[in-house]
Amino acid sequence: MSDASSALIDRLRQIVGRKHCLTDPAQTERYRKGWRSGEGDAIAVVRPGSLVEQWRVLRACVEADTIVIMQAANTGLTEGSTPKGGYDRDVVIVSTLRLDGIHLIRDGRQIVGLPGSTLYKLEELLDPLGREPHSVIGSSCVGASIIGGICNNSGGALVRRGPAYTELSVHARLNADGRLELVNNLGIDLGNDPEEMLEKLEGGDFRPGQIHDDAGRASDDDYAARVREVDAATPGRFNADPRGLHEASGSAGKLAVFAVRLDTFPTAEGAKTYYVGTNDTAQLTALRRALLSELDELPISGEYVHRDCFEISRKYGKDTLLMIHWLGTSRMPTLFGIKESLDARFHKIGLLPGNLLDRVMQGLSRLFPEALPKRLLRFRDRFEHHLILKVAGPSAEATEEILTRTVGADGWFLCDPHEAAKATLNRFAAAGAAARYDVMLGKDSGGLLPLDIALRRNDDDWFEVLPPDLDDQIAAKIYYGHFLCHVLHQDYVLKAGADPEAVKARMLEILDRRGAEYPAEHNVGHLYAAKPALVDHYKCCDPTNSFNPGIGKTSRKKHWAA
């Protein structure tokens, strides 16, 4: 390590304390390694305990000409919040998990979320008020952060709300002259001195008269009309859509965000969940068009699950389902943090098999009885394609008429609360189950290839049929997604010997011909090439390319050098 790097670490320790400036690779591994894939080096992981400390950490890193990677929950699926390698400067990861404050404003109709605030905590705060956040469990990762969703334009399952979006934020940016500046576009008067502003922000020290309602939009309030346009020849939401790119929104770590201001939403009254099954994709197509075109009120969610995904999630996501069912979401981030720490320790030992805890947890899950209700299992046996449809109470009668008309009276049933919860959790566990399945295959797996795609809103031929030579290279296809929004997650576990990059290139060529956009809602990370609108947004946010460089397969060099 150079003298300059050592001096920077000493300064960071003075700011946050030695305990919260990690340099041991075994301690930093969980921050340097992506939730699903991706890993790189960093000279330190810094965990500020206040917004002022975060500001001072950023200033120290800028003065030392160091790359900064901002990280919250690290639940991204595309390696977007971890280092990759190939940089021309040292890397410091700034973990914001200690900064988890949330302020309710306007009687809970809006919130101000700090860098480490999470969706599950926001759900808990809003529930007594009869309101909900932009995303809820079932459309987000366990412990997913509020600001992470904004920075990645995350989509989620909730049909009425669209991508996570706001025009209201407090963020730090490094301008073209290399000067760090704090920008307050939150629509709340905080003063002018950066540290005083951040102290007020963290403490919620602002009165109603300091909050302005004409400062900008706090959600994508056009999306409900957009998703109803079932004859439109373009996707309804995707990461490179210029409509969703505004400062923090879609910034993918190219800004250091201190707070965002977001709308909240009334909890739907008398919500009902229906389980739908069919062997004819045309029936689901007709159902989707009818629900979006005929109902006075949009459905709450419509989650597609293919039978193969149902089974893989049932078997390899069982422990996740049971833990959430028994313990709730609030304890899950802690448990996953413990698992990540133990994985790092076991990995350091070297003699133990890889992914030991995953293998142990998979073995233990087999000891428990069947987790899914019998009616869901009967539909699994009868039908290839499944849909979990949730609507508000006033829409129930019209929804049931549409269901019977499109999939037949024996193609759906109204879930009781237990069935609704278990069906939703089985769908929610799918992403982790795909990774677990890949682990359990061991040497027989050629790796996991995840894609999330946005189809044209008028694409009736939505179910993928691959060319035989491509299909032969895949051990398992795991299809699930937000069907009414025409956003699908397609995870492929490849056979041993397959070339992941070549398979992915073929997949993307097919998607291009279909007029699809990708990624739809997980951002480009280090797995996709950013399209021109995204690259322009990144360069506008970060002219010197010092925050999360290389995102979207762009330059990792200072000032965007080739």
Side-chain angles (χ1 to χ4, degrees):
M1 183 179 294
S2 68
D3 291 343
S5 301
S6 297
L8 173 60
I9 290 171
D10 288 341
R11 186 175 175 187
L12 295 174
R13 285 172 174 162
Q14 290 173 2
I15 295 170
V16 302
R18 181 174 292 270
K19 177 182 178 181
H20 296 293
C21 181
L22 311 178
T23 57
D24 183 342
Q27 291 181 310
T28 63
E29 182 179 11
R30 59 174 291 202
Y31 301 92
R32 295 184 292 103
K33 191 172 184 179
W35 186 68
R36 227 184 208 177
S37 63
E39 184 176 1
D41 295 326
I43 63 168
V45 173
V46 187
R47 304 183 299 195
S50 70
L51 296 185
V52 170
E53 284 188 2
Q54 179 172 311
W55 171 251
R56 292 173 179 172
V57 165
L58 293 173
R59 288 179 56 189
C61 290
V62 167
E63 290 172 12
D65 194 22
T66 300
I67 287 169
V68 173
I69 296 179
M70 301 298 300
Q71 184 185 97
N74 194 19
T75 56
L77 301 180
T78 57
E79 306 178 4
S81 58
T82 51
K84 185 68 174 179
Y87 303 110
D88 56 355
R89 292 152 287 172
D90 286 336
V91 174
V92 170
I93 298 172
V94 179
S95 171
T96 64
L97 290 179
R98 297 173 67 202
L99 307 174
D100 61 354
I102 299 173
H103 304 303
L104 302 178
I105 61 175
R106 296 294 191 243
D107 298 320
R109 297 193 306 276
Q110 288 189 328
I111 64 101
V112 174
L114 302 188
S117 56
T118 58
L119 285 170
Y120 80 81
K121 183 175 179 180
L122 181 55
E123 284 185 64
E124 289 182 343
L125 282 175
L126 293 176
D127 185 60
L129 305 178
R131 300 189 73 83
E132 292 179 337
H134 165 269
S135 295
V136 297
I137 187 168
S139 59
S140 59
C141 294
V142 171
S145 71
I146 294 170
I147 286 181
I150 292 294
C151 293
N152 292 319
N153 282 142
S154 298
L158 302 182
V159 179
R160 308 171 186 179
R161 301 177 193 173
Y165 178 79
T166 187
E167 296 168 1
L168 308 174
S169 69
V170 174
H171 58 268
R173 70 186 297 270
L174 195 59
N175 64 24
D177 297 327
R179 182 170 57 87
L180 189 70
E181 55 186 11
L182 187 67
V183 179
N184 177 16
N185 286 336
L186 199 63
I188 299 177
D189 297 331
L190 297 170
N192 297 307
D193 178 76
E195 294 198 359
E196 290 181 5
M197 292 166 64
L198 294 174
E199 286 178 352
K200 290 180 180 179
L201 177 58
E202 186 165 3
D205 184 16
F206 34 82
R207 297 179 299 277
Q210 297 172 273
I211 303 172
H212 305 289
D213 292 329
D214 57 354
R217 298 159 63 207
S219 63
D220 186 355
D221 50 12
D222 295 330
Y223 183 73
R226 202 154 72 241
V227 76
R228 285 189 183 273
E229 296 172 353
V230 292
D231 293 315
T234 56
R237 71 180 199 213
F238 53 97
N239 285 140
D241 189 343
R243 290 174 294 195
L245 305 177
H246 182 92
E247 295 182 343
S249 296
S251 61
K254 303 302 288 182
L255 297 171
V257 183
F258 286 82
V260 294
R261 179 175 162 187
L262 300 174
D263 291 330
T264 68
F265 304 87
T267 302
E269 295 184 4
K272 296 182 182 297
T273 299
Y274 299 92
Y275 203 86
V276 184
T278 182
N279 292 311
D280 184 355
T281 58
Q283 290 185 337
L284 282 188
T285 299
L287 173 60
R288 173 180 173 270
R289 294 181 69 91
L291 291 170
L292 295 178
S293 302
E294 298 177 22
L295 290 182
D296 293 335
E297 188 176 22
L298 280 172
I300 297 168
S301 63
E303 291 296 283
Y304 171 77
V305 181
H306 187 269
R307 177 160 52 197
D308 292 346
C309 175
F310 180 106
E311 270 301 284
I312 285 176
S313 189
R314 170 179 169 260
K315 183 175 180 179
Y316 296 97
K318 184 178 179 180
D319 54 324
T320 299
L321 183 154
L322 290 174
M323 283 192 292
I324 296 175
H325 179 68
W326 290 333
L327 303 176
T329 58
S330 61
R331 298 183 185 179
M332 298 305 293
T334 300
L335 294 176
F336 276 93
I338 293 171
K339 177 184 177 296
E340 289 168 356
S341 297
L342 291 174
D343 277 335
R345 292 181 184 181
F346 292 155
H347 179 70
K348 190 175 181 180
I349 294 173
L351 298 177
L352 298 174
N355 304 108
L356 176 63
L357 283 181
D358 278 294
R359 297 177 183 277
V360 170
M361 292 169 68
Q362 184 60 33
L364 291 175
S365 72
R366 295 172 182 160
L367 303 178
F368 292 97
E370 175 61 57
L372 297 181
K374 291 181 180 179
R375 284 206 289 183
L376 269 62
L377 296 173
R378 287 198 290 267
F379 263 49
R380 180 271 322 263
D381 294 338
R382 291 176 56 200
F383 299 117
E384 180 180 2
H385 306 284
H386 299 219
L387 187 72
I388 308 164
L389 177 65
K390 187 175 182 180
V391 302
S395 300
E397 183 176 351
T399 297
E400 292 175 10
E401 186 278 324
I402 292 172
L403 286 169
T404 300
R405 187 201 328 154
T406 55
V407 301
D410 65 343
W412 63 273
F413 64 85
L414 175 63
C415 296
D416 62 32
H418 176 70
E419 291 168 328
K422 287 295 186 68
T424 300
L425 287 176
N426 194 53
R427 152 64 186 94
F428 171 73
R436 174 74 61 77
Y437 177 66
D438 175 50
V439 166
M440 298 306 295
L441 279 182
K443 294 180 180 180
D444 292 329
S445 171
L448 180 65
L449 172 60
L451 298 179
D452 71 295
I453 63 174
L455 300 177
R456 293 177 289 114
R457 283 166 284 178
N458 67 348
D459 190 348
D460 292 342
D461 190 21
W462 55 270
F463 187 69
E464 179 178 77
V465 178
L466 294 172
D469 67 312
L470 194 55
D471 199 53
D472 286 344
Q473 301 182 63
I474 299 170
K477 298 187 288 265
I478 305 167
Y479 295 153
Y480 54 101
H482 318 309
F483 184 64
L484 300 184
C485 300
H486 251 197
V487 168
L488 294 178
H489 301 288
Q490 301 186 164
D491 296 343
Y492 309 89
V493 179
L494 304 182
K495 294 179 180 178
D499 182 344
E501 288 301 319
V503 172
K504 181 179 178 180
R506 289 278 305 281
M507 296 283 192
L508 298 186
E509 287 176 7
I510 294 170
L511 292 173
D512 287 338
R513 291 198 297 269
R514 294 176 64 188
E517 291 279 357
Y518 49 84
E521 59 178 6
H522 289 154
N523 217 304
V524 289
H526 289 292
L527 299 185
Y528 296 90
K531 294 186 176 180
L534 270 178
V535 175
D536 290 346
H537 184 53
Y538 295 160
K539 289 184 175 181
C540 179
C541 290
D542 183 18
T544 69
N545 201 25
S546 297
F547 289 93
N548 207 11
I551 201 78
K553 298 184 181 294
T554 58
S555 170
R556 292 181 172 81
K557 308 299 183 183
K558 192 172 182 179
H559 296 296
W560 301 89

